[in-house]
C-alpha cells in the first residue's frame, strides 16, 4: 500500500478497507485486529508528517498529522502537532476545533490553552486570547510564553505577576546554578593543584615539542620603531616554486624594502620576482654571490641602510623588517643574526608550511658600512669553520 493510499483511507476513517474486513467500523477494533500493521502505519504517517514540518511545509504536514491522529485519536501529542500545523498554515478555524477537542480530553494541559490563545490573537480576538493565556497560567504558573503575551498586551496584573515570577523563579534558579558552578570549579581547581607540578614548569617547552609550541604561540610584533630602508640579498639556487612563492609573499609585505638582489635564480624565478613584487621596487638578478657589488647603493637622501642576507630555502617572517628596525635602533651592533625554523608542508589549509624545529643563527642583518667586511670575512673563512667561529665570536 502506498503512503498516499494509506493517508486517504486514514483521513476517510475507512477502517474496513484497512483491516480487509467489511464489518470493522471503529479504529479501536482495527488496532485489536491488526496491531502490528497499525503500528507500522503510524510510523509511516508520523515520519512523513515530521519531514514536512521540518522542511517548512506546514500545510502538507497537517495533512499527514490529520491521518495519524485519525488512526490514533488518543495520541494527543499528534493532535497538538496537527493543531500547530493548521495554525501555521493559516487554517485557524480548523486549528481552533482541534485544540478544543484536545481540551475536552485533557482540560489540564496548559500548552493547549496557550496555542488556542495564539489562534485568537492572530484572528484579532483579543479578549479571548488574553483569557486563554490566563487559563494557561492557571494550569502552569511557569509558562513563560503566556507570561510574555500578557506582559506585552499591557495586562497590569499579569505584568506584576510576570515580574514576580521572573524574579522568584529565574533569579533564584540562576543564582543557585551559578553557586553550584562556582563550587564545582573550586573543587576542580583544588584537584588540579594537588596533582600538577609547579605551574611555572609550563612556561617552557622541550625542544622536541617545538611544533606544539609554535602552534600555540605566534611571533609577537616588536616595540614600535621608525622604519629603516632595507636591502635584501636572497639566494635562489635550487629553490622550489612553493618556497619561492612564500618568500615573495613575505618580502612583498615589507614597505621598508627598497632594493632586492637575487643570486642564482632561474629565468622562471626571475620572471616571477619581477611580476609579483610591487611596482617601483629595484630588483637586480645576479648569477651568483660573487657578482654582488663591492658597495651597495642606497636611495638618494638616505644616509645609511641595512642589508638582510637570506638563505636559499629560508622564508622570512613578515615581521622581520620591523624587528630589524628595532634591533638596529636600540643597539650599536654592526651585524645581527636571526634564529630560523625548520619548515615542513602543512596539512592545514590556513598555512602552506608549519615549523617543526628551531635553528640558531641562520639569517643575518648587516649595517651597510659593514657589508664589505662581512663578505670578505665569509670568503676568507670559506672551508675553515674554526676560523669562521673565531671571527664571529672572537
Amino acid at each position: 500500500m502506498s503512503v498516499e493510499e494509506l493517508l486517504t483511507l486514514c483521513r476517510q476513517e475507512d477502517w474496513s478497507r484497512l483491516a480487509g474486513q467489511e464489518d470493522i467500523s471503529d479504529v479501536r477494533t482495527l488496532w485489536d485486529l491488526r496491531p502490528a500493521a497499525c503500528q507500522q502505519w503510524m510510523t509511516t504517517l508520523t515520519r512523513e508528517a515530521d519531514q514536512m514540518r521540518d522542511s517548512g511545509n506546514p500545510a502538507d504536514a497537517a495533512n499527514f498529522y490529520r491521518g495519524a491522529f485519525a488512526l490514533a485519536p488518543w495520541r494527543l501529542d499528534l493532535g497538538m502537532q496537527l493543531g500547530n500545523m493548521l495554525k501555521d498554515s493559516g487554517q485557524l478555524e480548523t486549528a481552533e476545533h482541534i485544540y478544543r477537542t484536545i481540551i475536552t480530553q485533557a482540560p489540564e494541559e496548559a500548552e493547549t490553552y496557550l496555542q488556542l490563545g495564539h489562534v485568537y490573537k492572530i484572528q484579532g480576538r483579543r479578549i479571548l486570547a488574553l483569557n486563554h493565556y490566563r487559563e494557561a497560567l492557571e494550569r502552569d504558573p511557569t509558562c513563560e510564553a503566556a507570561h510574555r503575551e500578557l506582559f506585552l498586551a499591557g495586562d497590569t496584573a499579569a505584568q506584576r505577576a510576570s515580574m514576580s515570577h521572573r524574579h522568584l523563579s529565574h533569579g533564584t534558579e540562576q543564582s543557585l546554578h551559578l553557586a553550584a558552578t562556582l563550587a564545582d570549579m573550586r573543587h576542580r581547581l583544588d584537584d588540579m593543584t594537588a596533582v600538577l607540578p609547579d605551574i611555572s614548569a609550563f612556561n617552557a617547552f622541550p625542544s622536541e615539542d617545538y611544533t606544539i609550541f609554535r602552534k600555540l604561540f605566534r611571533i609577537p610584533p616588536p616595540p614600535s620603531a621608525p622604519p629603516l630602508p632595507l636591502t635584501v640579498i636572497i639566494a635562489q639556487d635550487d629553490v622550489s616554486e612553493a618556497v619561492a612563492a612564500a618568500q615573495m609573499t613575505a618580502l612583498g609585505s615589507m614597505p621598508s624594502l627598497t632594493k632586492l638582489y637575487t643570486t642564482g635564480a632561474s629565468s622562471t624565478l626571475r620572471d616571477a620576482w619581477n611580476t609579483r613584487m610591487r611596482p617601483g621596487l629595484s630588483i637586480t638578478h645576479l648569477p651568483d654571490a660573487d657578482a654582488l657589488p663591492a658597495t651597495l647603493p642606497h636611495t638618494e637622501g638616505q644616509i645609511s641602510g641595512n642589508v638582510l642576507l637570506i638563505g636559499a630555502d629560508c622564508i622570512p617572517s613578515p615581521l622581520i623588517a620591523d624587528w630589524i628596525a628595532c634591533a638596529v635602533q636600540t643597539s650599536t651592533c654592526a651585524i645581527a643574526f636571526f634564529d630560523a625554523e625548520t619548515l615542513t608542508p602543512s596539512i592545514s589549509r590556513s598555512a602552506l608550511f608549519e615549523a617543526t624545529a628551531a635553528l640558531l643563527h641562520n639569517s643575518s642583518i648587516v649595517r651597510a658600512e659593514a657589508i664589505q667586511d662581512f663578505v670578505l670575512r665569509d670568503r676568507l673563512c670559506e672551508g675553515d669553520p674554526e676560523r669562521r667561529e673565531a671571527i664571529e665570536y672572537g
Side-chain angles (χ1 to χ4, degrees):
M1 181 184 303
S2 67
V3 175
E4 292 299 330
E5 184 181 1
L6 171 63
L7 177 61
T8 300
L9 293 177
C10 289
R11 292 197 56 177
Q12 294 176 351
E13 299 186 8
D14 192 345
W15 313 130
S16 60
R17 289 182 58 189
L18 274 179
Q21 298 182 20
E22 295 183 358
D23 57 343
I24 303 300
S25 59
D26 62 276
V27 70
R28 286 201 175 273
T29 303
L30 175 65
W31 275 85
D32 292 339
L33 183 65
R34 305 280 301 278
C38 285
Q39 187 59 54
Q40 183 178 1
W41 294 333
M42 278 291 300
T43 300
T44 299
L45 292 174
T46 53
R47 182 181 63 246
E48 295 290 332
D50 290 345
Q51 289 176 352
M52 294 295 177
R53 178 200 60 198
D54 296 341
S55 63
N57 194 343
D60 287 338
N63 193 28
F64 280 99
Y65 280 127
R66 189 193 302 276
F69 190 43
L71 184 60
W74 50 86
R75 285 281 303 274
L76 300 186
D77 59 320
L78 294 175
M80 184 66 72
Q81 288 285 359
L82 171 58
N84 293 345
M85 293 301 101
L86 290 169
K87 171 171 62 67
D88 291 349
S89 61
Q91 304 175 63
L92 299 179
E93 292 183 0
T94 311
E96 177 186 0
H97 171 72
I98 294 297
Y99 289 138
R100 290 205 170 278
T101 300
I102 297 174
I103 288 175
T104 301
Q105 299 183 58
E108 296 306 314
E109 183 61 46
E111 179 69 18
T112 315
Y113 289 93
L114 174 68
Q115 297 300 332
L116 189 53
H118 290 337
V119 170
Y120 292 137
K121 176 184 175 182
I122 296 171
Q123 291 176 332
R125 302 160 73 179
R126 185 174 185 274
I127 301 301
L128 277 174
L130 296 180
N131 287 340
H132 281 80
Y133 291 140
R134 294 188 188 100
E135 292 278 0
L137 283 177
E138 285 184 9
R139 287 156 178 78
D140 181 8
T142 66
C143 182
E144 186 67 28
H147 276 289
R148 182 172 58 253
E149 293 292 345
L150 290 170
F151 188 94
L152 296 175
D155 188 309
T156 305
Q159 287 178 337
R160 293 197 187 99
S162 179
M163 294 301 292
S164 176
H165 160 72
R166 288 173 182 271
H167 174 72
L168 292 176
S169 64
H170 293 284
T172 303
E173 179 182 347
Q174 290 178 0
S175 298
L176 292 174
H177 176 70
L178 286 174
T181 302
L182 289 173
D184 182 62
M185 290 174 63
R186 289 193 186 98
H187 290 309
R188 289 176 180 269
L189 288 173
D190 290 342
D191 292 342
M192 291 172 62
T193 302
V195 300
L196 292 179
D198 188 348
I199 197 67
S200 61
F202 292 94
N203 290 335
F205 278 74
S207 59
E208 59 268 22
D209 291 336
Y210 189 79
T211 301
I212 299 175
F213 168 77
R214 284 294 281 116
K215 288 180 179 179
L216 295 175
F217 298 97
R218 297 184 178 276
I219 299 172
S224 179
L228 295 176
L230 180 65
T231 296
V232 169
I233 301 174
I234 183 168
Q236 292 288 278
D237 306 274
D238 300 323
V239 175
S240 67
E241 293 183 4
V243 171
Q247 293 171 334
M248 296 173 197
T249 299
L251 294 177
S253 65
M254 301 178 188
S256 59
L257 177 62
T258 57
K259 191 165 184 61
L260 174 67
Y261 289 89
T262 71
T263 62
S266 65
S267 59
T268 301
L269 284 180
R270 292 183 180 187
D271 292 341
W273 280 103
N274 293 334
T275 302
R276 296 191 55 177
M277 301 306 287
R278 69 175 185 275
L281 176 65
S282 174
I283 303 178
T284 303
H285 301 292
L286 300 174
D288 51 49
D290 291 335
L292 284 167
T295 59
L296 299 177
H298 300 289
T299 304
E300 185 178 354
Q302 295 175 347
I303 299 175
S304 62
N306 302 298
V307 181
L308 174 63
L309 309 180
I310 302 178
D313 291 324
C314 295
I315 301 172
S317 165
L319 294 172
I320 194 170
D322 297 330
W323 274 108
I324 287 172
C326 177
V328 168
Q329 294 179 60
T330 57
S331 69
T332 59
C333 66
I335 299 174
F337 293 90
F338 293 92
D339 295 340
E341 297 173 325
T342 299
L343 302 180
T344 58
S346 175
I347 60 175
S348 170
R349 296 183 178 180
S350 60
L352 292 176
F353 301 95
E354 63 181 24
T356 58
L359 302 174
L360 302 181
H361 308 317
N362 190 267
S363 294
S364 306
I365 173 67
V366 188
R367 290 187 186 273
E369 56 268 25
I371 184 64
Q372 283 182 290
D373 292 339
F374 183 78
V375 174
L376 178 60
R377 182 208 64 191
D378 271 4
R379 290 174 179 170
L380 288 175
C381 299
E382 185 174 353
D384 190 347
E386 293 184 0
R387 186 175 184 184
R388 176 191 297 272
E389 184 176 352
I391 292 177
E392 288 183 354
Y393 302 104

